[in-house]
Amino acid sequence: MHGSLGHFKATLQRKKERKAKAEGRFDKKRLNYSASEEKTQFDFPVLKKPELEKVKTKIRAKIKKEKRLDYLLITIVLLVFVLIYFLLN
């Protein structure tokens, strides 16, 4: 019984050491993080409603174009795979 108890205690000690080592990796004191109390100020332009709608329209058009290109690429890749499958069989 003494041998297994010693083994158990050694296992617990190694587990504690691994945990301490893992927690010490990201020690905030060692990394010198300092929390800033002031808020970050951004200098965004103030847009009027028509200007904002133009920007939104441009963004939507860009996203729509990117989606079309993605669908086209996926379709081409699938067609190539299907073609290769039928040619090899």
Side-chain angles (χ1 to χ4, degrees):
M1 194 72 162
H2 295 290
S4 63
L5 179 62
H7 179 70
F8 178 70
K9 286 183 177 180
T11 303
L12 287 179
Q13 183 62 32
R14 284 192 299 273
K15 183 178 176 184
K16 285 180 185 177
E17 289 172 0
R18 281 193 307 269
K19 185 177 178 183
K21 184 178 178 184
E23 288 175 354
R25 251 184 239 157
F26 301 106
D27 188 17
K28 289 183 181 179
K29 293 176 188 173
R30 190 178 65 180
L31 293 176
N32 264 341
Y33 284 123
S34 61
S36 176
E37 295 296 323
E38 65 183 56
K39 291 185 178 183
T40 306
Q41 297 294 322
F42 295 107
D43 195 18
F44 291 119
V46 179
L47 299 176
K48 296 180 182 164
K49 190 155 180 107
E51 294 170 335
L52 187 60
E53 290 301 321
K54 286 181 184 178
V55 171
K56 286 181 181 180
T57 305
K58 286 181 183 178
I59 293 171
R60 287 180 185 135
K62 182 179 177 184
I63 291 172
K64 191 174 182 180
K65 181 180 177 184
E66 288 176 357
K67 280 185 181 181
R68 257 191 256 135
L69 289 174
D70 289 344
Y71 290 140
L72 180 66
L73 180 65
I74 290 170
T75 305
I76 290 172
V77 168
L78 286 175
L79 287 174
V80 167
F81 280 129
V82 169
L83 187 67
I84 290 173
Y85 176 77
F86 284 119
L87 288 176
L88 293 178
N89 284 337

